[in-house]
Amino acid sequence: MSAGMELIINHEVKFFESAPVSLAELMQLEAPGKTKGVAVAINSQVVPKTAWASTELRDRDSILIITATQGG
């Protein structure tokens, strides 16, 4: 983890003092243990799960986390 970073997650500004370096690290913080039924986009670009570990985050990135729900 690097120095502080501000990220916009689901339209909410969040500040991380110890910033996650990769999308995989962020997902462990935001949705621990959830990988099934989860889609993530950074700056309107969908990131496949296979790329989470190699996707670096930058200050002020806009991240959308979508979780599938059952029922209806």
Side-chain angles (χ1 to χ4, degrees):
M1 293 201 182
S2 61
M5 177 185 291
E6 191 174 275
L7 298 171
I8 302 145
I9 302 172
N10 292 352
H11 311 289
E12 217 176 284
V13 176
K14 291 192 176 186
F15 183 79
F16 295 85
E17 284 193 31
S18 295
V21 175
S22 69
L23 179 55
E25 283 183 35
L26 176 68
M27 291 306 293
Q28 287 178 345
L29 294 171
E30 291 295 307
K34 286 189 178 182
T35 54
K36 287 192 173 194
V38 177
V40 180
I42 298 177
N43 303 322
S44 302
Q45 295 291 316
V46 174
V47 180
K49 270 187 203 116
T50 54
W52 287 7
S54 61
T55 301
E56 292 182 15
L57 299 176
R58 293 181 181 84
D59 196 41
R60 304 280 303 154
D61 272 346
S62 180
I63 300 162
L64 184 63
I65 301 170
I66 301 169
T67 307
T69 56
Q70 292 184 328

